[in-house]
Amino acid sequence: MTATGRAQRVRERESLAGWSAELQDAVTAMFSQLDGGTFHEANWARPGGGGGRARLLSEGRVFEKAGVNRALVEGPLPASAAARLGGSVPLGTDVHFFATGVSVVAHPRSPMVPTVHLNVRFVELLDAAGNRFDAWYGGGADLTPMHPIPEDARHFHRELKRTCDAYSPAIFVRCKPWCDEYFRNPHRENEARGVGGIFFDHLRPSEAPFGLAPPRLHAFVDAVGRALVTAYAPIVERRRDLPFTERDRALQLHRRGRYVEFNLLHDRGTLFGLQTGARTESVLMSMPPVAAWPAPREPAPGSIEDELAAMLVPRDWATED
């Protein structure tokens, strides 16, 4: 790589590092305002290069647990691991990587408030000389209700669609079903984790996905990272003070168990973090503080359990009346 190329790469990485740091601050501020509690911060270093900043709110007024994590990691990466991530690796290449992004998971106290997840990231793969041979954005946001309130699913999807449509009407059309397909537990008869949202991966700036040139593509990913302000915060404000029963809490803990199963068995982000030597506590931040695996039984027709199960069947929430 030439000196000019190295200088340009340094500027690009500094810009991406600033982006993920600023985004983490913005999302942290939103959750702090919703809860009133304090996030505790832990900085960590990754053996081999980079590190991260983990922020965790525990036992808050609204959230039993909420995490807003940032990572900026780099270093050597086995070619097999790069291929599993979906990277295009030239044969015989000594792979190095750089990745930065923000991951968010919030588990509310009240079963009337849904759990939410958001992640945005940028990944690049380089050869030993520092030449980039692949790079992409990934991420998305999805909602996991613990009580059957269809209005919340409609609101969440409509706001995500509005965010996507500001950049291209093709985005939501593709990324909504992508989310429906991804967040499933195949070992549970392909049951959905929640009501979905949007999901995307391997959006390569070099390919101008959805017709978006690199700066516009980055702006879209940043907008997704900030979308919870309109897509999720109003739901929290509407539901956090509603009364609930022990039965509601039991259903919440049951659904959290399914959440755990997906994240440990099928989630790409969990696998990527563990494969690249990230801080284990940060990788497993998405785990709820309490979950349950009750004895299986068929929900009674018309029960809250039955109604919630029906909500997990994918539908066009954004246009549903």
Side-chain angles (χ1 to χ4, degrees), residues 1-314:
M1 178 183 288
T2 65
T4 301
R6 283 194 295 271
Q8 180 179 354
R9 183 59 46 78
V10 169
R11 290 193 296 271
E12 289 175 351
R13 290 191 174 185
E14 288 177 346
S15 176
L16 287 163
W19 163 67
S20 61
E22 181 181 349
L23 182 58
Q24 184 189 33
D25 289 343
V27 177
T28 302
M30 186 203 79
F31 279 100
S32 295
Q33 184 174 8
L34 285 172
D35 187 275
T38 301
F39 278 86
H40 296 280
E41 184 171 291
N43 294 307
W44 55 273
R46 173 187 173 274
R53 183 170 60 200
R55 291 177 177 166
L56 186 66
L57 186 156
S58 298
E59 299 301 327
R61 186 178 71 85
V62 176
F63 300 101
E64 274 190 275
K65 181 181 180 183
V68 184
N69 290 350
R70 171 187 178 250
L72 193 154
V73 292
E74 59 184 328
L77 185 69
S80 58
R84 282 194 296 271
L85 292 174
S88 300
V89 183
L91 187 64
T93 301
D94 184 11
V95 181
H96 292 249
F97 83 104
F98 168 84
T100 189
V102 173
S103 297
V104 182
V105 177
H107 294 287
R109 283 189 175 279
S110 170
M112 313 306 283
V113 182
T115 285
V116 75
H117 160 256
L118 179 141
N119 171 266
V120 288
R121 59 193 176 275
F122 175 81
V123 181
E124 68 174 359
L125 303 180
L126 311 101
D127 62 21
N131 298 301
R132 176 195 291 173
F133 59 82
D134 201 0
W136 66 87
Y137 288 97
D142 65 285
L143 195 72
T144 302
M146 307 293 174
H147 191 86
I149 307 178
E151 178 188 345
D152 293 345
R154 288 192 285 267
H155 172 88
F156 189 78
H157 279 252
R158 286 168 181 166
E159 287 301 314
L160 289 184
K161 184 178 186 300
R162 185 178 62 82
T163 298
C164 293
D165 287 354
Y167 293 87
S168 169
I171 297 176
F172 189 80
V173 171
R174 175 66 184 95
C175 294
K176 190 272 185 190
W178 202 345
C179 186
D180 291 336
E181 295 161 9
Y182 177 67
F183 288 103
R184 289 184 172 275
N185 274 320
H187 66 287
R188 294 285 189 183
E189 299 181 339
N190 220 30
E191 178 188 82
R193 188 176 79 172
V195 296
I198 59 172
F199 176 82
F200 52 89
D201 206 358
H202 306 113
L203 300 187
R204 292 176 166 88
S206 61
E207 297 173 352
F210 305 113
L212 302 179
R216 189 73 170 158
L217 176 61
H218 178 82
F220 159 67
V221 176
D222 180 65
V224 171
R226 300 171 189 274
L228 297 187
V229 172
T230 59
Y232 183 63
I235 296 174
V236 176
E237 291 168 344
R238 285 197 298 264
R239 309 299 178 201
R240 60 188 172 191
D241 295 323
L242 292 178
F244 59 88
T245 67
E246 291 184 10
R247 181 177 176 180
D248 294 323
R249 174 64 169 172
L251 179 56
Q252 179 190 44
L253 298 184
H254 166 58
R255 293 310 311 170
R256 282 181 175 181
R258 298 297 174 86
Y259 199 93
V260 168
E261 291 176 19
F262 175 86
N263 285 18
L264 291 180
L265 295 175
H266 309 297
D267 185 64
R268 296 180 187 178
T270 301
L271 180 63
F272 177 75
L274 296 176
Q275 286 180 338
T276 56
R279 176 176 177 258
T280 301
E281 291 300 326
S282 296
V283 175
L284 299 181
M285 171 270 291
S286 62
M287 298 298 105
V290 184
W293 282 262
R297 63 178 182 180
E298 288 296 318
S303 65
I304 59 170
E305 294 85 359
D306 185 53
E307 291 179 8
L308 184 55
M311 283 183 64
L312 301 183
V313 178

